[in-house]
Amino acid sequence: MADEPEPPVAQQTVEEPLDLIRLSLDERIYVKMRSDRELRGRLHAYDQHLNMIMGDVEETVTTVEIDEETYEEIYKSTKRNIPMLFVRGDGVILVSPPMRTGT
Amino acid sequence: MSGQISEENTAYMPSPNIHSLSAPVLMSRKQTPSEFLKKIIGRPVVVKLNSGVDYRGVLACLDGYMNIALEQTEEYVNGQLKNKYGDAFIRGNNVLYISTTKRRG
C-alpha cells in the first residue's frame, strides 16, 4: 500500500460561513435584523462585515403594543418597499434563503 | 473523577463528566476553543444569541468570528418554536454560545 495517494487527514476543504453566503448571490434572501426588522430581497453584494447591497427589498418592522387594560400583546407590522438598499452589517442577525410562508 | 487529567494547567477545567453528549467531546485534557470548534462540525448544536433567541440545527461550518452556518434550523423564542430555516447564517457578534446537544427526536 505504499503507492496509495494519501487522502487528507482532516476533512475536505472547509468552507467558511461567508462562502456559503456567496452561493446566495443574486438570489432572493431573508435577513433578520436588530430592532425587530426583517428584509426580503435580492442579494447583489456583501462583504465580511455583512454589509449588503440588496435590490427589490421589502422591509418589515414588527412592534408589540401592550393594551393597558387587558394586557394583551398586540403585534403590528409595518412594511415598505425599497428598490435598492445598502445594509450596514452590524445590524444583521441572520441570513437565510426566504421561507415559503405561503402568506 | 477521571485519572487522565493532565497536570499542566488546571486553573479552570470543566468537569469531564458530561453525560449528556451522545458521542462525547470530553474535555479531559487541555483543549483550545478552536479545537473544540473543529470537532463539533456536523453535530446538532444549540446556538444562543445575546438577545436570548435559540437556534437549533446541524452545524455546517463556522469561523473565528463565530459566524455560524446551520442546516435544518429551528428558531426558539421563549422556549417556543417560532420558525424553521433550511439554511441559516448567523453573524458572530450576536452569538452568546454554541453548545452540542442530543437532538430531540
Side-chain angles (χ1 to χ4, degrees):
Chain A
M1 299 216 179
D3 292 329
E4 262 185 32
E6 289 275 351
V9 178
Q11 57 270 63
Q12 68 282 7
T13 318
V14 178
E15 291 189 65
E16 292 190 328
L18 287 171
D19 291 332
L20 296 180
I21 290 199
R22 182 160 43 91
L23 300 177
S24 296
L25 271 176
D26 227 33
E27 305 279 344
R28 291 197 68 83
I29 55 166
Y30 163 84
V31 182
K32 191 189 217 302
M33 298 188 59
R34 293 183 186 276
S35 307
D36 296 312
R37 289 170 192 264
E38 299 164 322
L39 302 175
R40 289 170 194 275
R42 187 173 300 275
L43 179 64
H44 289 294
Y46 74 98
D47 66 8
Q48 71 274 21
H49 304 292
L50 252 44
N51 296 327
M52 294 186 283
I53 306 283
M54 292 174 66
D56 284 330
V57 180
E58 181 195 71
E59 175 199 45
T60 307
V61 185
T62 304
T63 59
V64 189
E65 289 176 13
I66 302 198
D67 192 317
E68 296 274 315
E69 296 144 29
T70 65
Y71 295 109
E72 64 175 318
E73 294 175 341
I74 308 169
Y75 286 86
K76 292 189 180 171
S77 62
T78 316
K79 297 194 183 194
R80 64 172 175 155
N81 288 299
I82 306 158
M84 189 62 70
L85 178 69
F86 175 94
V87 182
R88 189 178 156 88
D90 61 7
V92 173
I93 296 177
L94 175 151
V95 178
S96 178
M99 296 167 290
R100 310 274 174 246
T101 55
T103 45
Chain B
M1 235 193 292
S2 164
Q4 305 289 337
I5 298 178
S6 146
E7 294 289 302
E8 288 176 14
N9 181 3
T10 55
Y12 171 74
M13 288 289 271
S15 162
N17 299 319
I18 306 174
H19 297 295
S20 60
L21 298 171
S22 51
V25 184
L26 291 175
M27 310 255 203
S28 53
R29 51 182 181 80
K30 188 167 66 171
Q31 192 182 116
T32 64
S34 49
E35 286 172 20
F36 173 79
L37 295 179
K38 282 180 204 163
K39 284 192 181 179
I40 62 171
I41 285 184
R43 292 175 185 263
V45 291
V46 184
V47 179
K48 194 169 187 70
L49 302 192
N50 296 329
S51 58
V53 180
D54 247 340
Y55 290 90
R56 291 171 186 259
V58 177
L59 187 62
C61 58
L62 53 84
D63 65 15
Y65 295 105
M66 288 182 93
N67 294 327
I68 292 170
L70 287 176
E71 292 168 350
Q72 298 158 35
T73 310
E74 296 169 344
E75 177 184 65
Y76 291 86
V77 183
N78 299 328
Q80 279 189 321
L81 176 59
K82 279 296 189 84
N83 276 311
K84 293 180 187 172
Y85 306 95
D87 292 304
F89 171 98
I90 300 174
R91 196 175 191 270
N93 69 303
N94 299 297
V95 174
L96 184 66
Y97 66 68
I98 307 168
S99 169
T100 49
T101 178
K102 212 177 250 175
R103 185 79 166 202
R104 290 190 206 133

